Amino acid sequence: MSPVINGHFRGCVTPENCQCEKRVYLFALLVGFLTFGLQIFGGYYSGSLSLVADAGHLFVDNIALGFNIYIAHLVRKHSLHEKKIRAFGGYVNAFLLAMIGAWVLTEAIARFGSTHLIIGWWMFIFAAIGLGGNYVQRWILGKEAPTVTHKSAQIHVDSDILQ
């Protein structure tokens, strides 16, 4: 199923039955979990902290996407407080992104003094798979961000692409 006009799926007729925002996050979450599993395996197999860190980052992105599904549910239930609910979701997503950045920095500093064998070809292959998964997530999330929670999800995925 692909989104059609303005981010809505086929069959979305009225605002009362629209679950499109949740579905977009759910599709991105499924791709994220698949990519996460492949990167964890690839990181441990190749010995690459970079892949494990990216998988950790992607795990936090998946938590954020799951949280966005919950935020979308709350907004539908309490539409009068949409702005506050979405702002809270944006702050939580920013906090999660900062926490994974701190963890990656800590792990990198710990590795400076030690030598560690990395199987470069496997690392490259799994990194390319991860990058492909991130691009698929970004495509699912679309070009425009209609809400602050959607924008925060896009920033999470964009930061993974840059990483």
Side-chain angles (χ1 to χ4, degrees):
M1 260 188 204
S2 63
V4 291
I5 301 171
N6 296 326
H8 290 276
F9 290 84
R10 287 173 174 55
C12 178
V13 181
T14 63
E16 293 80 34
N17 74 352
C18 180
Q19 299 291 322
C20 296
E21 183 179 13
K22 290 180 187 179
R23 291 172 74 186
V24 165
Y25 294 144
L26 184 61
F27 286 142
L29 185 62
L30 292 173
V31 171
F33 273 121
L34 178 65
T35 306
F36 166 75
L38 289 170
Q39 283 191 326
I40 282 288
F41 173 76
Y44 283 114
Y45 185 77
S46 69
S48 170
L49 174 64
S50 178
L51 279 177
V52 173
D54 190 45
H57 186 159
L58 189 54
F59 182 73
V60 173
D61 291 350
N62 290 338
I63 291 172
L65 284 169
F67 188 69
N68 283 356
I69 292 170
Y70 180 65
I71 291 294
H73 169 75
L74 285 178
V75 165
R76 284 183 48 77
K77 196 172 184 179
H78 307 288
S79 61
L80 294 176
H81 303 289
E82 178 177 5
K83 191 171 184 176
K84 289 180 184 178
I85 293 169
R86 290 195 186 277
F88 175 71
Y91 289 131
V92 169
N93 284 332
F95 174 75
L96 291 171
L97 194 57
M99 297 299 358
I100 193 62
W103 176 78
V104 169
L105 180 63
T106 304
E107 288 295 315
I109 290 170
R111 280 216 180 173
F112 269 127
S114 65
T115 57
H116 191 77
L117 178 65
I118 297 172
I119 305 170
W121 281 105
W122 282 115
M123 180 185 122
F124 179 78
I125 289 168
F126 282 103
I129 291 169
L131 180 62
N134 294 141
Y135 274 113
V136 169
Q137 279 186 307
R138 189 61 170 96
W139 177 78
I140 290 169
L141 290 171
K143 293 180 183 176
E144 294 182 24
T147 64
V148 69
T149 48
H150 197 93
K151 182 67 175 171
S152 67
Q154 288 176 330
I155 290 171
H156 271 273
V157 173
D158 290 346
S159 67
D160 247 2
I161 289 171
L162 291 174
Q163 187 183 23

